[in-house]
Amino acid sequence: MKIKVFADTICGWCYISHTRFLKVIKNFKNKSFVFEHVPFQLNPDMPKKGIKRQDYLKYKFGSEEAAKPMYDSMIQEALKENLKFNLEKIEFTPNTNFSHILTKLAFSKNIGHEVLGKIFDAYFSKGKNIGNKDVLVEIGKSSNINEKEIYDAFSSEKEIIEINKSDVLARNMGIKGVPFFNINNKTYISGAQSSTNLIEAIRANL
């Protein structure tokens, strides 16, 4: 079963869904799953160096107070998956191009879920700047990806072009938010769905 997952690495709902989906597929022990991470950028116009989180919240929501109800809901939903979000540690909202490149590289080595999980954890739990190449290289190295290979991927203009193409493709498909799941080009799921809904979607494609 092929599953395309449209996601951004600074999307908390994507982190929750990523964790939940990996738990759900354990219910289908005799089924083979092939995942493809499709980069989506919640902020396609984000400066390469990113911006301070406080400035981002003002830009995106009008104020930190206006954003609080959504983030409070996200934190509570994360706890259901035993994920501890420490949003107060986040000082910087990054451009996510490089984190997508590392994720793509990891999936090519069949360790995509592992590395993507570490990227999510670095941002949402530890408050690290995942737009910083050195931070991402350390994440990659912790999963035994060669440092030079990572830096080479970051230096590739082709990789940046591919990231942008994926984002444009998603928007042309009408995808305005993530996570978004495409299961066997037959079933489409938008948003952080419950485990029950995810199981039903998979069963519909068996």
Side-chain angles (χ1 to χ4, degrees), residues 30-71:
N30 298 319
K31 189 68 181 177
S32 176
F33 294 88
V34 178
F35 284 86
E36 178 184 352
H37 171 76
V38 185
F40 186 90
Q41 297 177 80
L42 290 173
N43 309 291
D45 298 323
M46 177 66 71
K48 290 182 179 180
K49 293 184 178 181
I51 61 175
K52 291 181 179 180
R53 179 169 170 77
Q54 295 303 317
D55 293 337
Y56 172 74
L57 293 177
K58 290 177 182 178
Y59 164 76
K60 196 80 173 181
F61 301 98
S63 68
E64 184 175 357
E65 291 72 23
K68 191 175 186 303
M70 187 277 289
Y71 282 117

Side-chain angles (χ1 to χ4, degrees), residues 7-12 14-15 37 40-43 46-51 53 85 87 89-103 114-140 150-151 154 160 163:
D8 199 1
T9 51
I10 60 165
C11 167
C14 294
Y15 187 11
H37 171 76
F40 186 90
Q41 297 177 80
L42 290 173
N43 309 291
M46 177 66 71
K48 290 182 179 180
K49 293 184 178 181
I51 61 175
R53 179 169 170 77
F85 281 17
L87 303 185
K89 292 185 178 181
I90 300 174
E91 298 180 356
F92 217 72
T93 300
N95 182 300
T96 57
N97 276 337
F98 292 129
S99 59
H100 282 304
I101 290 173
L102 176 59
T103 300
E114 173 186 328
V115 171
L116 180 56
K118 288 181 179 180
I119 292 172
F120 279 136
D121 179 68
Y123 185 68
F124 287 101
S125 298
K126 299 180 176 68
K128 292 186 177 182
N129 179 4
I130 59 168
N132 183 293
K133 293 180 183 178
D134 295 336
V135 169
L136 291 169
V137 167
E138 288 305 311
I139 292 173
I150 299 171
Y151 277 119
F154 289 163
I160 297 295
I163 297 296

Side-chain angles (χ1 to χ4, degrees), residues 113-177:
H113 293 309
E114 173 186 328
V115 171
L116 180 56
K118 288 181 179 180
I119 292 172
F120 279 136
D121 179 68
Y123 185 68
F124 287 101
S125 298
K126 299 180 176 68
K128 292 186 177 182
N129 179 4
I130 59 168
N132 183 293
K133 293 180 183 178
D134 295 336
V135 169
L136 291 169
V137 167
E138 288 305 311
I139 292 173
K141 286 170 60 180
S142 74
S143 292
N144 297 314
I145 302 178
N146 180 269
E147 179 176 340
K148 183 179 184 302
E149 188 174 5
I150 299 171
Y151 277 119
D152 285 347
F154 289 163
S155 299
S156 171
E157 186 64 28
K158 179 183 176 182
E159 293 291 346
I160 297 295
I161 291 172
E162 289 299 320
I163 297 296
N164 292 330
K165 279 185 178 179
S166 293
D167 187 74
V168 171
L169 171 65
R171 295 179 192 280
N172 287 342
M173 290 172 58
I175 299 173
K176 297 179 181 179

